[in-house]
Every structure is written in C-alpha cells, then in structure tokens.
Amino acid sequence: DPESQIPVADRKANFEMLKELHQLNGRLGDAVASAKQMQTQLGAIRNQLADSARTPAAFRATLDSITQEFAPLRKKFLITNEGEEIDFTADLFRSVLPFKVGGLAGDLRGFLAGPSAQNLKTLDDVRSEVPTAVAETNALVARFVAFVKQLSDAGVYPVMPKVVK
C-alpha cells in the first residue's frame, strides 16, 4: 500500500509476531480438535453408562472425574454442549483462548504501526497460556484414553454386536 507509512522495523516486528502466533495457533487448533473429539466420546460413554445399576461404581466415578477435569478446558476453548446457549460478551471473547490468539493476529495484520503495548502483553499471555492449555489437554486425553481402554477391556464400552448363531 503506497499510502502506508509503517516503518520497516514495525512491519518486521508485526510479521515476526504473526509467524509466532501462526505456530501457537496451530498447536492450539490441534488441542481444541482433540478436546472436541473427547467431548463427543464422553457423551457417547455417558449415554452407554446411563444405567447405573449395570455400571460399576469405579467406572462411574472415573467418568464423573474426567468430566469435571474437562470443564475448565471447555470454558477455555468455548466447547459447548449441543443446545447450550452462550451469553456472548466482550469478556467472554477476551477469555476464550482461540479468540484471544485470533484477535491478536487480526490486530497485527491490520495495523499500520508496530505492535502496541496491549499487543505485546497479549502475546506474552498467549505464549504461556497456549502451551499450558496444550499440556492440560494432553494430560486429560491420556487419562481419557486409559479410561476407554479400561472400559473396552471390561466389555462395557464400546459394546460390540454379537454374532447370531
């Protein structure tokens, strides 16, 4: 843009920050996808184990525990249950990690100046928040996978069809 008067140093600073955000956003997107997949499977397991008379208490307790541990990630990633309504506010936008990363990238792409003090603070925040969220997701996914294996080994979930004789 010939009318853009952004200094080369500022343009370079924005570009470097955008490259870093691109990488952070890729990891964050993978974590959100894993969390969404886990939510879908948790719902299926919850439905399968709905008959508490047939479900061992230990399995029920583990399912409840994983569901509780998952709640902060759902909030951090804004993963909703089907039919759940959200009161969308500016505070919600600032607290949801994918929105935070995307908003910062949008600011930097559209600026005709270098990064602002707020941009730098937000970048510092997401530099720690994204790896933390990824680690939390990975830890919960590992626990969930072990739980599903335990259910499978016990023949509880997934329930396999039986061969007709």
Side-chain angles (χ1 to χ4, degrees), residues 10-47:
D10 288 344
R11 187 183 324 252
K12 181 173 174 33
N14 285 1
F15 182 71
E16 292 303 318
M17 287 175 68
L18 284 167
K19 285 190 331 186
E20 183 177 358
L21 283 171
H22 181 74
Q23 295 214 340
L24 287 170
N25 194 49
R27 293 189 70 214
L28 180 60
D30 290 345
V32 170
S34 289
K36 285 181 177 180
Q37 183 180 19
M38 190 168 42
Q39 167 143 345
T40 299
Q41 292 177 10
L42 273 170
I45 292 169
R46 200 172 295 107
N47 288 339

Side-chain angles (χ1 to χ4, degrees), residues 12-30 96-111 115-116 118-131 134:
K12 181 173 174 33
N14 285 1
F15 182 71
E16 292 303 318
M17 287 175 68
L18 284 167
K19 285 190 331 186
E20 183 177 358
L21 283 171
H22 181 74
Q23 295 214 340
L24 287 170
N25 194 49
R27 293 189 70 214
L28 180 60
D30 290 345
V96 173
L97 197 47
F99 294 164
K100 197 173 194 178
V101 171
L104 177 56
D107 279 355
L108 293 171
R109 280 192 302 267
F111 270 15
S116 68
Q118 182 59 44
N119 293 146
L120 294 172
K121 181 193 176 317
T122 302
L123 180 61
D124 281 344
D125 291 348
V126 299
R127 280 179 175 148
S128 65
E129 290 175 24
V130 169
V134 168

Side-chain angles (χ1 to χ4, degrees), residues 30-105:
D30 290 345
V32 170
S34 289
K36 285 181 177 180
Q37 183 180 19
M38 190 168 42
Q39 167 143 345
T40 299
Q41 292 177 10
L42 273 170
I45 292 169
R46 200 172 295 107
N47 288 339
Q48 186 69 39
L49 303 183
D51 183 358
S52 58
R54 293 182 47 222
T55 302
F59 290 158
R60 197 94 190 113
T62 302
L63 177 61
D64 291 345
S65 174
I66 289 173
T67 300
Q68 275 187 323
E69 279 185 51
F70 188 50
L73 278 177
R74 287 183 59 228
K75 185 176 179 181
K76 195 176 289 192
F77 296 159
L78 193 62
I79 298 172
T80 59
N81 291 318
E82 188 174 330
E84 183 179 357
E85 293 196 22
I86 298 295
D87 185 23
F88 198 83
T89 64
D91 286 337
L92 177 69
F93 184 81
R94 285 187 292 272
S95 69
V96 173
L97 197 47
F99 294 164
K100 197 173 194 178
V101 171
L104 177 56

Side-chain angles (χ1 to χ4, degrees), residues 151-162:
L151 293 173
S152 178
D153 290 348
V156 175
Y157 180 85
V159 176
M160 296 306 210
K162 295 182 182 183

